[in-house]
Amino acid sequence: MNFRTRVALAGLPALFAFMFVAWPLVAILKRGFVIDGSLDLGAIVDIFGSDRSRSLVTFTVVQAAVSTLATLIIGLPAAWSTSRPWWGASLVRSFMTTAFVLPTLVMALAFSTIFDRGLLPIVLSHAAFNVAVVVRIVGNAWAGIEPGTGDAARTLGASRFFAWRTVTLARLAPAIASSAILTFLFSLTSFGVVLVLGDYRQGTIETEIYRLSRTLQFDKAGALAVVQLFVVGAALSLSRRFSRNPVVDLTTVQTRQRAVGVVVPGLAALMGMCLVAIPLGTLACQVFFRRGQWTLNWWRALTSDELPLGVDPLASLGTSFHYAIAATFVAVVIGGATAFALAKASRGLRLLDGLLMLPLGVSAVTLGYGYLITFDEAPLRLRDFYYVVPLAHAAVAVPIVVWVLTPAIRGVAPGLREAAATLGATRAKVFWNIELSLVAPSLGVAAGFAAAISIGEFGATALLGRSGTATAPFAIGRLLSVPGETARLAAFGLALSLALSTTLLMLVIDKLTTLGIR
Amino acid sequence: MSALEVLDVSVMRGDTRACKNVNLTVGNGETLALLGPSGSGKTSLLRAIAGIEPICGGSIKFDDIDLAGMDVARRGFGVMFQDLALFPNLDVAGNIGYPLRVRNVDKDQARATVSRLLEDVGLVGMEHRSVGELSGGERQRVALARALASDPRLLLLDEPLGSLDRLLRERLAVDLRRSLSSSGLASIVVTHDHDEAFLLADTVVLMREGSVVQQGTPADVWRAPADEWVSDFIGNPSATTVERCDGELLTPWGPVTSPGADRTVRLSVPPSAVTLDPDGEWSARVCAVRPNRDYLKIEVEGTDRAVLAVSSDEPVAVGTMVRLRVRVERLVLFDI
């Protein structure tokens, strides 16, 4: 593909990035800094003036830091275990990846069946999500280290520890830093988990933006959103010192490590697996198994007329799937065009990449808030548009789609294109017959991830959703906010259905991965 | 006196014995080549000597001290690995200087040592290149320099010219030979290439399926391969079955004197054993003429279509009959 084609291809993503990422974010900044047409830092200063806000920001950062530490402690052994050749390696990888895309509310509910509200369950569920990040990034890096280099260091006189530190650890360090940065960002901007598991008095910036927006205090919410943007920005720029742009390679690399049997890798991965399996198992037990016997009460609760007005769990599941399809379509088109345009890096296009990757760091709640204030007035009164929720989902899913597709596209041997061209194929034909068909399995994988993200997305949905456009996570949120056993059981049942859908999606993805690429 | 003694050593690899009761010795300043096809156990033996693999029988001694239980790091053997095992996170100087860093050598002194080694292997000024961007030959040289930088008592080289193209191999082989002899170290070179083994080594040890089948100087091995397998492996033409009768071998190309009892033997005729000569005792028909770098390779066939190669300076037409002179002492004979 020549430069011009790539620029043309980048047009649609650029428009999307401008409309649904850049503009809302600029609107937030404008709202925070400009009051009545002139620069006014009052709202921001007020935030740092108030004890409540200061403790909010502190708690947000501290819980993210502790979560990152916990994720590394649990994730590094698991990453090591997946870097070794044994039958469980791919199982651990798939299992943790499924946990990664599990709806946040599901994970939060699962942990709520074991723990009371507080810092511990927040940290543990953040770890349960992000162990996958460590497993993927560090595990792949570990798998790629030739065991011969360790032997070489030893023959050159290095002690076991010195060899490990200078050869293995030195090469893992960038990967560990990348995964720590991503985990920190994800924990910093986590919403559903904190909403369900956090202490009532102690929220994070995210939950506070949500609370303020819901109570129509848009100015205060705006100021906090600006603070959130700055915290995230500071974390990102700090991270640049330690590592390149963190990228999760979702393909699996062939390991070069020597086999060490099954027992030790199994034990190393056990903690991470249990962290996910035990809470989910407890949740399932609470739904299906009551007072020592199997029960269908959860199903009755889902269709019960005792539920709060305007909450229809089954209809919300339908809406979720409907939105998932729409969001997946948009994300794959936008992310696909981006990945193809960016297959070879060039400066202008990299800016687009950076813009589209922003939703990874910027929280979904902030994005949702941006949509609320941006698309508030004619001619773009999109807040009432039925598909505004899936558009936000797509914005969140695009980075993952790009992650999945980029290595696959780069992996297409350039020789193939040239070979096809010498056989008389036109450029369009080469693209259609060779590149697209080779990348097709990865497109499937990307679509699966996009769908999973849309199904589980709660941050933007919580702000943008209304009864008419309630997704399943939105309905769970509503159900949790009212008292009563039926509502609670319905929420659990709905959560399990979501978990099941996501797991099915991941199984399909797994099949696709083994079918196609590498 | 021998520096390294390998006595009756066996090495396990998985569930099979990769080396069976191997004996060999290498003296200071001597180079020994372990020659054999892949899977013959030569790499396993090398790794066992280095201390990376454990041995399951026998003993390895260096300067009369048994190495059993001695840590890899304390053996002081420089190893050049088959895949080179350069550290990708370090640059050229970082790789070569690694053993100096391990020993806490003073920084300036280490820098001087590294640049001297770079000079020795012909990579002057490449200190800060990343090892990823080096060519195959350059990587090979860095690996050698790194092995030498640890100031080893013994050099162990696993396929040191491994994956290089032929031209580069030949050039580097000469350089390597010079490095080995100027270092004055005992060294072992593992290779599957007989030309390389004969070029580099003072002693060649041929291994097959974990056992030593022959050891001796290159000249000995050339002159008298221990058996037909060795003969085939070092590149002699495949043997034919011939009868010996009244002190004469009855070959497909004619008879030749060969003292010994009457019996059936196998005969391989290396190209160096025959020359074109109008007064020669054998006769055969030319069936192919192939140009080589500085001579022509003439293939002739005798009875039973048994083909034999001769080198010649003059072109010969295909189909003509030629006579061959035989140098009896160069014929390779095996009992059945």
Side-chain angles (χ1 to χ4, degrees):
Chain A
M1 230 182 290
N2 61 17
F3 184 70
R4 220 185 254 172
T5 330
R6 286 193 286 125
V7 171
L9 203 57
L12 199 61
L15 187 69
F16 181 87
F18 172 75
M19 279 271 299
F20 297 106
V21 181
W23 193 10
L25 293 183
V26 170
I28 293 174
L29 289 175
K30 206 175 128 200
R31 185 126 184 176
F33 286 122
V34 184
I35 292 171
D36 294 334
S38 61
L39 192 67
D40 186 346
L41 298 179
I44 312 287
V45 172
D46 280 351
I47 288 214
F48 287 99
S50 95
D51 281 345
R52 181 180 162 79
S53 305
R54 265 209 307 271
S55 85
L56 214 62
V57 173
T58 314
F59 180 73
T60 307
V61 174
V62 166
Q63 64 82 20
V66 177
S67 298
T68 307
L69 197 66
T71 306
L72 286 179
I73 290 171
I74 299 165
L76 287 176
W80 173 81
S81 90
T82 63
S83 76
R84 295 283 163 164
W86 66 296
W87 57 264
S90 61
L91 183 79
V92 174
R93 229 179 275 126
S94 311
F95 185 79
M96 295 321 302
T97 308
T98 308
F100 179 64
V101 293
L102 225 48
T104 50
L105 282 184
V106 173
M107 190 75 88
L109 278 182
F111 274 89
S112 78
T113 59
I114 301 180
F115 296 96
D116 286 332
R117 286 168 175 263
L119 182 62
L120 183 66
I122 292 180
V123 166
L124 288 181
S125 44
H126 285 166
F129 277 119
N130 293 316
V131 163
V133 175
V134 181
V135 163
R136 288 285 171 173
I137 299 183
V138 182
N140 273 1
W142 219 321
I145 295 179
E146 314 78 2
T149 51
D151 292 338
R154 299 272 291 128
T155 63
L156 293 168
S159 67
R160 261 173 220 288
F161 177 70
F162 190 86
W164 184 80
R165 186 168 67 79
T166 51
V167 176
T168 309
L169 189 62
R171 290 184 66 191
L172 286 182
I176 295 174
S178 288
S179 63
I181 289 159
L182 275 176
T183 303
F184 185 74
L185 274 180
F186 289 155
S187 308
L188 200 65
T189 59
S190 147
F191 172 61
V193 165
V194 182
L195 197 69
V196 174
L197 296 173
D199 200 299
Y200 292 106
R201 287 150 294 151
Q202 186 64 288
T204 57
I205 304 179
E206 291 293 303
T207 55
E208 191 68 3
I209 295 174
Y210 169 73
R211 192 184 67 84
L212 292 169
S213 306
R214 277 275 142 177
T215 51
L216 302 178
Q217 306 178 57
F218 283 118
D219 283 331
K220 281 189 183 166
L224 258 175
V226 171
V227 173
Q228 172 78 310
L229 285 182
F230 275 95
V231 173
V232 168
L236 269 178
S237 62
L238 199 69
S239 76
R240 292 273 164 130
R241 292 185 178 202
F242 299 109
S243 129
R244 297 173 294 115
N245 244 354
V247 164
V248 184
D249 189 349
L250 289 164
T251 51
T252 303
V253 302
Q254 192 66 42
T255 182
R256 303 184 188 196
Q257 295 287 317
R258 295 187 188 122
V260 285
V262 175
V263 179
V264 185
L267 284 175
L270 198 62
M271 203 165 33
M273 303 283 272
C274 285
L275 184 69
V276 177
I278 291 175
L280 286 176
T282 314
L283 178 69
C285 281
Q286 293 215 356
V287 174
F288 295 122
F289 209 66
R290 278 282 156 113
R291 293 189 193 96
Q293 54 189 348
W294 296 98
T295 166
L296 279 173
N297 279 347
W298 59 277
W299 176 255
R300 275 179 225 121
L302 280 181
T303 50
S304 157
D305 47 15
E306 291 168 35
L307 295 176
L309 203 65
V311 179
D312 182 346
L314 293 184
S316 74
L317 264 182
T319 310
S320 267
F321 295 140
H322 181 168
Y323 278 178
I325 292 167
T328 303
F329 177 75
V330 176
V332 169
V333 168
I334 300 298
T338 312
F340 273 107
L342 291 177
K344 274 191 224 128
S346 61
R347 211 184 249 168
L349 294 177
R350 197 153 327 137
L351 187 74
L352 171 68
D353 182 43
L355 203 58
L356 281 170
M357 286 292 162
L358 268 180
L360 263 190
V362 175
S363 73
V365 171
T366 309
L367 202 65
Y369 170 76
Y371 282 26
L372 272 187
I373 58 170
T374 311
F375 304 127
D376 192 25
E377 50 213 60
L380 274 170
R381 210 180 143 74
L382 287 180
R383 305 175 48 160
D384 297 333
F385 179 46
Y386 181 69
Y387 286 105
V388 68
V389 173
L391 277 172
H393 292 176
V396 177
V398 162
I400 308 284
V401 172
V402 175
W403 272 353
V404 174
L405 288 181
T406 305
I409 293 170
R410 294 218 172 116
V412 176
L416 281 182
R417 285 169 213 149
E418 286 148 20
T422 61
L423 293 171
T426 60
R427 204 173 275 154
K429 268 224 167 103
V430 171
F431 177 73
W432 197 253
N433 292 345
I434 309 286
E435 283 182 286
L436 213 54
S437 66
L438 279 176
V439 172
S442 301
L443 272 176
V445 173
F449 275 108
I453 288 166
S454 168
I455 287 177
E457 209 288 325
F458 183 54
T461 316
L463 279 187
L464 294 169
R466 288 166 291 114
S467 325
T469 62
T471 63
F474 187 84
I476 295 175
R478 287 285 305 277
L479 287 169
L480 289 176
S481 66
V482 296
E485 185 62 14
T486 316
R488 194 173 142 79
L489 202 53
F492 280 17
L494 206 46
L496 261 192
S497 330
L498 280 184
L500 214 63
S501 323
T502 323
T503 310
L504 279 176
L505 262 174
M506 286 300 120
L507 284 178
V508 174
I509 288 178
D510 238 35
K511 266 275 159 313
L512 279 174
T513 335
T514 47
L515 251 182
I517 30 168
R518 275 181 275 179
Chain B
M1 193 198 78
S2 329
L4 180 79
E5 285 174 90
V6 171
L7 303 167
D8 207 27
V9 162
S10 300
V11 182
M12 294 295 286
R13 179 148 167 219
D15 297 332
T16 53
R17 280 211 298 171
C19 288
K20 298 163 199 158
N21 309 93
V22 173
N23 286 286
L24 53 86
T25 57
V26 193
N28 282 318
E30 217 175 81
T31 302
L32 178 142
L34 284 175
L35 176 63
S38 56
S40 57
K42 47 195 197 319
T43 294
S44 296
L45 180 59
L46 195 83
R47 291 171 68 86
I49 295 170
I52 303 166
E53 303 295 344
I55 56 173
C56 66
S59 67
I60 302 175
K61 289 183 185 170
F62 195 89
D63 284 348
D64 280 333
I65 296 168
D66 197 323
L67 300 181
M70 187 189 280
D71 188 68
V72 194
R74 288 186 50 238
R75 295 196 179 193
F77 297 168
V79 185
M80 188 172 156
F81 290 83
Q82 188 169 5
D83 61 356
L84 303 184
L86 296 179
F87 307 126
N89 52 320
L90 302 175
D91 60 8
V92 169
N95 268 277
I96 299 177
Y98 188 87
L100 307 172
R101 189 172 143 206
V102 171
R103 288 170 183 75
N104 284 319
V105 173
D106 167 69
K107 281 233 170 82
D108 291 327
Q109 201 186 327
R111 207 171 298 136
T113 309
V114 168
S115 67
R116 179 177 56 75
L117 284 162
L118 279 173
E119 202 172 313
D120 288 351
V121 296
L123 296 176
V124 177
M126 290 222 186
E127 277 90 345
H128 301 299
R129 293 276 290 278
S130 137
V131 292
E133 62 190 44
L134 300 179
S135 71
E138 289 166 344
R139 292 168 61 81
Q140 224 99 9
R141 286 158 192 259
V142 171
L144 178 64
R146 185 179 68 177
L148 288 170
S150 62
D151 198 13
R153 309 190 281 172
L154 171 72
L155 263 182
L156 302 170
L157 314 176
D158 194 353
E159 301 278 1
L161 305 175
S163 52
L164 302 174
D165 59 64
R166 215 184 57 168
L167 203 63
L168 201 55
R169 280 174 85 99
E170 287 174 5
R171 217 167 52 217
L172 275 184
V174 176
D175 289 356
L176 187 59
R177 167 91 233 188
R178 198 184 313 127
S179 297
L180 290 180
S181 52
S182 74
S183 70
L185 291 171
S187 42
I188 297 182
V189 179
V190 159
T191 176
H192 66 275
D193 182 308
H194 50 84
D195 286 332
E196 205 171 288
F198 293 142
L199 177 67
L200 292 174
D202 304 305
T203 310
V204 175
V205 172
L206 270 128
M207 289 187 71
R208 182 191 182 190
E209 287 165 12
S211 301
V212 172
V213 284
Q214 185 171 11
Q215 58 180 303
T217 64
D220 287 344
V221 178
W222 269 133
R223 200 174 52 240
D227 57 25
E228 198 174 328
W229 182 86
V230 172
S231 171
D232 282 348
F233 187 74
I234 63 176
N236 283 333
S238 49
T240 45
T241 306
V242 295
E243 296 294 331
R244 177 156 49 203
C245 199
D246 297 335
E248 272 199 334
L249 285 177
L250 307 173
T251 77
W253 310 280
V256 62
T257 323
S258 166
D262 289 3
R263 58 189 300 184
T264 309
V265 293
R266 299 273 292 164
L267 168 72
S268 167
V269 187
S272 63
V274 281
T275 44
L276 288 179
D277 185 339
D279 302 326
E281 53 268 69
W282 285 358
S283 78
R285 200 181 66 90
V286 175
C287 61
V289 177
R290 301 180 200 285
N292 231 313
R293 196 181 319 177
D294 34 28
Y295 57 90
L296 290 170
K297 184 180 170 196
I298 313 280
E299 287 179 4
V300 298
E301 57 181 22
T303 52
D304 300 341
R305 305 195 145 237
V307 175
L308 183 64
V310 198
S311 57
S312 159
D313 298 328
E314 300 295 323
V316 188
V318 172
T320 52
M321 295 299 289
V322 289
R323 296 199 72 83
L324 307 166
R325 173 165 302 285
V326 190
R327 299 167 73 178
V328 181
E329 72 281 6
R330 298 249 171 130
L331 293 179
V332 182
L333 283 175
F334 311 104
D335 295 332
I336 292 183

